Amino acid sequence: SVRDAQTRRELGEHYTSEENILKTLNPLFLDELRAEFDHIKTLGKYEADRLRKLRDKLGRIRYMDPACGCGNFIIVAYRELRDLELAIMERLQEITGDPAMLLANYGLKVTLDHFYGIEIDEWPARIAETAMFLIDRQCDLKLTERLGWAPDRLPIQQQATIISEHSALALDWAAIMAPDEDAIVAGNPPFLGISLRSAAQTAELQQVWGSRYHGTLDYVTGWHAKALEYFGSTAGRWAFVTTSSITQGEVVAPLFGAILDAGWRIGFAHRTFSWTSEAAGKAAVHCVIIGFTRATGKARLFDYATPASAPTELPGVNNITPYLTDGPTVIVHPSTKPLNPQLGEVAYGNKPTDDGWLIVEPDEYDHVMADPIAAKYVRQYIGARELLHGGNRHCLWLTAMTAADLHNSPVLRERVEGVRAFRADSKAPSTRDAATTAHLFRQLAQPDTAYLCIPAHVSESRPFFLASRFGHEVITSNANFLAPDEDGFMFAIISSTMFITWQRTVGGRLESRLRFNKLLTWNTFPLPHTDAAARQSIIQAGDAVRRARELRPDLPLANLYDPAGMSAELMTAHDELDRQVDHLFGLKPGNATVLERQAHLFSRYFGLTSPLLAPASRRKRG
């Protein structure tokens, strides 16, 4: 709260509650140390020696937060390690009965000078330094209360190292804290998507990623690149709280490809949860926490029933994928063709590039229809808003227009001339070339059969991905995607829970809305081979969904799928559709969990793509 909301937004800062700090630090290293302490207490005559070795181990730990702000992470990490050291010392007192000699011979192992931070702004950095002295004093008071001894802190000889007024992405972390197998890096770096970061921040990101830079990378991934550089081939541990977007969409391949290629694996992860912050004017974001290690062994995966729920650790997890699922590591790459040709290909809708001359808005409709020649060419026009929220727009679809009609219609002459002038004045050569066909949309994709109309973005709160079928006479804009769908099979597939699970898992987002991507989410959808009988059953179930929608012609699509108000008839129809599609995927009847669906989808995807993956290192990871 020492920073105003606008500055926090510009720097991408999201202050961390203690609860979320411990979600990071506990599985990263603290739980393991506590478990070792509990185990040592069962060893009998070997206990004292092992306890001393555990204290030495605590003393070797060096901790750095490379985006420390006011020091929340290093404060909690220091306090927890001091508490564990105190517990060890109490146990040694019970065993030896001589704490004074212990302290005289060994002193404290966990000290302030083992903790480091990097903060771009001086004021929070000074707060962090002061806060570390304060938490050190509190820990000393505990030591005095429970063991009757505390170190003399005056004159001050030790303190945490906080580097300020420098971007962490521009510094050599190894010059601040030398990397080794006892080094731990963790914190909450800034989240800034492409549209929010400054040109300087984008340049920083390009610098740290070098040849592996990809335009989809969030600013927070710069800290991942620096962690890879910092540790090099050295073992260590690191974890960051980040926006959940790094596990979705096109960013997954460049980010996790680099991490996996460097020999790291996900040691633990918290799946998507709602952010909680103790700062005033806090941001509302969905986050994940991912910790990386080079050690082998079991992984820990924490799931949330809803983003606001408490975490539950999933049992028996052996490997965590970049999508934070349990299973073999698979990265989904865009595909130019559907993996299963039975799915059919999707194209962008019709793009007018017309300055509005070919579009008939509601207040223009009567005027255009009053021209009998122009009226022959008026068609219903579906943009994203009309598809999802209703509305009544039209367009002039002039693919069959004759020269005589153009000459004899004042409306057509005016509008075609308007398009021609607009395109001719364009700076783009291809658009100027299109001035010679001013009566046509700039890009044409309209099929001559019934087709599936797919919005580019859908609210994340909808239980199913929203799409509709239209006859070929209804024209869709380039705000939507389209695909010929003569029998309704594609409509049924996109309306299933299996598809929206895939979309939510591998697809990107615009803010929090689901972003449809024909290369990444449609073409990669791992639809099993569908025989004629299964196809017909799925089509019939899809038809039932459309009939259930038609029971409420007064409601637009988005309202029909309001999570709090779906009709019983529509839910029943979707349940039957899911039963048919789930059966196709080999899922048992009943309500499969999201994780079960993800496991089936990734297994299918791996089976369809593993012979195609390249290079060899990618096949090995799979």
Side-chain angles (χ1 to χ4, degrees), residues 16-26 29-30 34 63 65 68 70-84 110 112 115 128 131-132 135-136 138-139 142 278:
T16 320
S17 68
E18 181 171 333
E19 176 187 8
N20 288 334
I21 292 171
L22 290 173
K23 286 180 185 178
T24 308
L25 302 184
N26 283 338
F29 70 103
L30 290 174
R34 295 181 188 120
Y63 180 95
D65 179 354
C68 73
C70 292
N72 297 23
F73 269 85
I74 56 175
I75 291 165
V76 174
Y78 181 74
R79 183 196 68 198
E80 294 299 305
L81 285 174
R82 281 289 303 268
D83 283 350
L84 180 56
V110 180
L112 288 174
F115 291 79
M132 286 297 282
I135 197 67
D136 184 53
Q138 291 177 350
C139 292
K142 285 184 186 178
E278 293 171 353

Side-chain angles (χ1 to χ4, degrees), residues 494-560:
I494 203 171
S495 300
S496 69
T497 297
M498 286 302 277
F499 179 79
I500 199 168
T501 299
W502 186 249
Q503 171 69 52
R504 285 180 171 141
T505 304
V506 307
R509 308 262 175 149
L510 179 64
E511 297 166 340
S512 59
R513 288 177 291 160
L514 306 181
R515 172 182 284 171
F516 182 84
N517 183 317
K518 68 174 185 174
L519 303 180
L520 187 64
T521 56
W522 181 259
N523 288 350
T524 63
F525 184 62
L527 180 74
H529 174 76
T530 311
D531 62 30
R535 184 183 182 97
Q536 190 58 37
S537 295
I538 291 171
I539 290 170
Q540 290 174 355
D543 287 342
V545 169
R546 291 193 293 112
R547 289 195 300 272
R549 291 179 177 183
E550 291 167 1
L551 294 174
R552 292 298 309 271
D554 56 313
L555 293 181
L557 195 56
N559 290 35
L560 282 170

Side-chain angles (χ1 to χ4, degrees), residues 370-601:
D371 181 328
I373 297 175
K376 295 190 303 181
Y377 300 104
V378 173
R379 300 287 184 272
Q380 185 181 356
Y381 184 63
I382 302 294
R385 174 163 291 280
E386 289 74 31
L387 176 60
L388 296 174
H389 302 288
N392 195 23
R393 277 207 302 172
H394 295 79
C395 72
L396 290 168
W397 191 249
L398 303 176
T399 54
M401 184 188 70
T402 66
D405 280 348
L406 177 62
H407 176 75
N408 294 323
S409 168
V411 167
L412 294 185
R413 286 200 310 273
E414 178 189 24
R415 294 204 168 219
V416 171
E417 174 55 26
V419 176
R420 188 204 63 76
F422 171 71
R423 292 179 182 174
D425 194 42
S426 173
K427 294 180 180 180
S430 61
T431 302
R432 292 198 300 272
D433 291 343
T436 60
T437 53
H439 64 297
L440 297 177
F441 275 46
R442 173 71 179 83
Q443 294 176 12
L444 297 171
Q446 191 70 12
D448 56 7
T449 66
Y451 66 93
L452 178 66
C453 186
I454 307 167
H457 304 100
V458 167
S459 168
E460 75 284 359
S461 67
R462 301 294 182 245
F464 303 97
F465 198 91
L466 306 188
S468 287
R469 282 179 79 229
F470 294 102
H472 66 89
E473 71 282 356
V474 177
I475 310 303
T476 186
S477 82
N478 62 310
N480 302 314
F481 293 83
L482 60 80
D485 188 27
E486 192 167 4
D487 62 3
F489 179 69
M490 294 171 70
F491 167 79
I493 293 300
I494 203 171
S495 300
S496 69
T497 297
M498 286 302 277
F499 179 79
I500 199 168
T501 299
W502 186 249
Q503 171 69 52
R504 285 180 171 141
T505 304
V506 307
R509 308 262 175 149
L510 179 64
E511 297 166 340
S512 59
R513 288 177 291 160
L514 306 181
R515 172 182 284 171
F516 182 84
N517 183 317
K518 68 174 185 174
L519 303 180
L520 187 64
T521 56
W522 181 259
N523 288 350
T524 63
F525 184 62
L527 180 74
H529 174 76
T530 311
D531 62 30
R535 184 183 182 97
Q536 190 58 37
S537 295
I538 291 171
I539 290 170
Q540 290 174 355
D543 287 342
V545 169
R546 291 193 293 112
R547 289 195 300 272
R549 291 179 177 183
E550 291 167 1
L551 294 174
R552 292 298 309 271
D554 56 313
L555 293 181
L557 195 56
N559 290 35
L560 282 170
Y561 286 87
D562 183 335
M566 279 186 65
S567 70
E569 294 85 356
L570 189 55
M571 274 306 311
T572 298
H574 271 285
D575 287 344
E576 176 58 23
L577 175 60
D578 280 342
R579 193 176 73 82
Q580 297 296 335
V581 176
D582 288 355
H583 179 72
L584 179 67
F585 273 88
L587 283 170
K588 295 179 180 179
N591 294 323
T593 67
V594 171
L595 284 166
E596 288 170 341
R597 292 182 184 279
Q598 290 171 328
H600 272 74
L601 287 163

Side-chain angles (χ1 to χ4, degrees), residues 192-418:
L192 284 170
I194 296 172
S195 63
L196 296 177
R197 62 178 178 249
S198 67
Q201 290 165 333
T202 298
E204 283 185 311
L205 201 56
Q206 293 170 333
Q207 178 67 31
V208 296
W209 277 110
S211 63
R212 300 194 80 144
Y213 174 76
H214 192 277
T216 62
L217 290 165
D218 189 284
Y219 188 54
V220 74
T221 67
W223 275 256
H224 295 77
K226 290 294 290 186
L228 295 179
E229 174 192 292
Y230 169 73
F231 281 107
S233 60
T234 304
R237 306 181 195 206
W238 52 287
F240 295 130
V241 181
T242 75
T243 172
S244 60
S245 65
I246 71 164
T247 63
Q248 302 159 350
E250 293 179 78
V251 68
V252 173
L255 173 60
F256 286 92
I259 293 170
L260 295 169
D261 286 344
W264 297 93
R265 58 182 285 269
I266 299 176
F268 80 91
H270 282 262
R271 287 162 60 88
T272 301
F273 63 94
S274 292
W275 183 255
T276 55
S277 170
E278 293 171 353
K282 61 185 179 181
V285 290
H286 284 175
C287 291
V288 296
I289 303 172
I290 308 176
F292 298 94
T293 181
R294 283 194 165 113
T296 59
K298 295 286 187 179
R300 302 181 67 184
L301 183 59
F302 298 86
D303 193 24
Y304 294 76
T306 70
S309 301
T312 301
E313 184 170 357
L314 301 176
V317 174
N318 292 310
N319 184 70
I320 300 173
T321 75
Y323 302 94
L324 306 192
T325 63
D326 177 17
T329 295
V330 174
I331 294 178
V332 178
H333 294 266
S335 174
T336 57
K337 298 285 185 180
L339 296 179
N340 182 342
Q342 292 178 303
L343 196 57
E345 294 192 37
V346 165
Y348 293 103
N350 304 283
K351 185 176 182 179
T353 315
D354 66 335
D355 199 30
W357 289 103
L358 296 176
I359 309 305
V360 181
E361 299 293 349
D363 62 349
E364 302 170 320
Y365 181 77
D366 289 344
H367 170 70
V368 173
M369 293 300 290
D371 181 328
I373 297 175
K376 295 190 303 181
Y377 300 104
V378 173
R379 300 287 184 272
Q380 185 181 356
Y381 184 63
I382 302 294
R385 174 163 291 280
E386 289 74 31
L387 176 60
L388 296 174
H389 302 288
N392 195 23
R393 277 207 302 172
H394 295 79
C395 72
L396 290 168
W397 191 249
L398 303 176
T399 54
M401 184 188 70
T402 66
D405 280 348
L406 177 62
H407 176 75
N408 294 323
S409 168
V411 167
L412 294 185
R413 286 200 310 273
E414 178 189 24
R415 294 204 168 219
V416 171
E417 174 55 26

Side-chain angles (χ1 to χ4, degrees), residues 71 105 133 184 189 427 457 620:
N105 291 340
F133 284 124
I184 296 171
K427 294 180 180 180
H457 304 100
K620 182 177 180 181

